[in-house]
Amino acid sequence: MDGIPVTSPARTWLDLAAVLPFEDLVAAADHFICRQTRSFGHNRVPFCSAEDLKAQVDRHRGARGIRKARAALELARVGADSAPETRLRLAIGRAFLPEPVLSYVVRDPFGREVVWPDLTFPEFKVAINYDGGHHLSAAQKESDRRREALLAENGWISVVITVEQVREHGYDGVARLVRDALIRGGWSPRG
């Protein structure tokens, strides 16, 4: 780039496998492959595709961190907006809960877009939102109140996970809140 040699995003991700902790590597993969097209806000164009990441793993079988990269790639998903969302999704998996859907659009009875939750369980009408530090402004708080009201009006159970809850209970701890909401929505844990 401008005469300076650089690696591709997919190769950079593979190189990170040698130095990043596992969950950070999954979050990096999610970030690199994130693609979103919304009717509001900003759209996201991926740096590369999951297939590009897989091709790097396949081409560099002896690279440092290759086993970690292969395992992280299995857990990578398109649609995660942030590393905390990825960490929450991974904690949900460790809790043996159903896998959430990313980039799901909640619609009203007329088919109009209402809300784009961070993680959803459409079958049980459960929406999960991770509210990080930027949710503390007055304007964002008002937007979040509207989001919660729209979810309730359309029959969804909403769980808001905050940065403070994660600090206090960890991601595995807040996954219990998701479990409780799923049970309220009709999900039955296997015995």
Side-chain angles (χ1 to χ4, degrees):
M1 212 173 201
D2 295 328
I4 300 171
V6 296
T7 60
S8 70
R11 178 57 200 241
T12 300
W13 175 80
L14 181 61
D15 291 341
L16 290 172
V19 295
L20 287 182
F22 180 72
E23 284 198 4
D24 291 345
L25 188 61
V26 176
D30 282 359
H31 179 74
F32 278 45
I33 66 175
C34 186
R35 174 184 61 248
Q36 292 181 346
T37 305
R38 296 179 175 176
S39 60
F40 65 93
H42 68 283
N43 292 326
R44 297 265 313 255
V45 176
F47 292 108
C48 61
S49 67
E51 293 76 23
D52 294 334
L53 298 181
K54 184 178 180 333
Q56 286 295 321
V57 168
D58 291 345
R59 255 192 309 249
H60 297 90
R61 295 182 190 274
R64 281 183 50 220
I66 195 69
R67 284 189 206 109
K68 188 190 325 178
R70 196 173 290 117
L73 193 53
E74 288 182 23
L75 293 174
R77 300 291 183 270
V78 172
D81 268 334
S82 67
E85 287 177 30
T86 296
R87 288 185 181 91
L88 179 56
R89 179 174 56 79
L90 296 174
I92 288 168
R94 285 191 300 273
F96 302 104
L97 300 175
E99 183 164 348
V101 176
L102 307 178
S103 299
Y104 184 85
V105 182
V106 174
R107 298 181 182 275
D108 68 14
F110 305 103
R112 293 180 298 231
E113 292 182 12
V114 176
V115 180
W116 284 68
D118 296 330
L119 309 166
T120 57
F121 301 88
E123 181 181 352
F124 307 106
K125 292 187 92 171
V126 172
I128 312 299
N129 282 292
Y130 176 82
D131 286 0
H134 73 282
H135 287 265
L136 298 176
S137 74
Q140 188 60 52
K141 284 181 179 179
E142 182 56 34
S143 175
D144 293 343
R145 278 192 283 276
R146 281 194 307 274
R147 173 194 71 199
E148 295 307 306
L150 287 167
L151 285 166
E153 285 172 21
N154 286 282
W156 282 71
I157 298 167
S158 178
V159 178
V160 177
I161 305 296
T162 65
V163 101
E164 292 81 16
Q165 289 171 311
V166 170
R167 279 189 200 122
E168 187 173 334
H169 304 289
Y171 287 100
D172 291 325
V174 296
R176 286 186 223 124
L177 301 172
V178 176
R179 182 183 188 278
D180 294 345
L182 284 167
I183 290 170
R184 285 195 315 273
W187 175 73
S188 177
R190 295 183 188 136

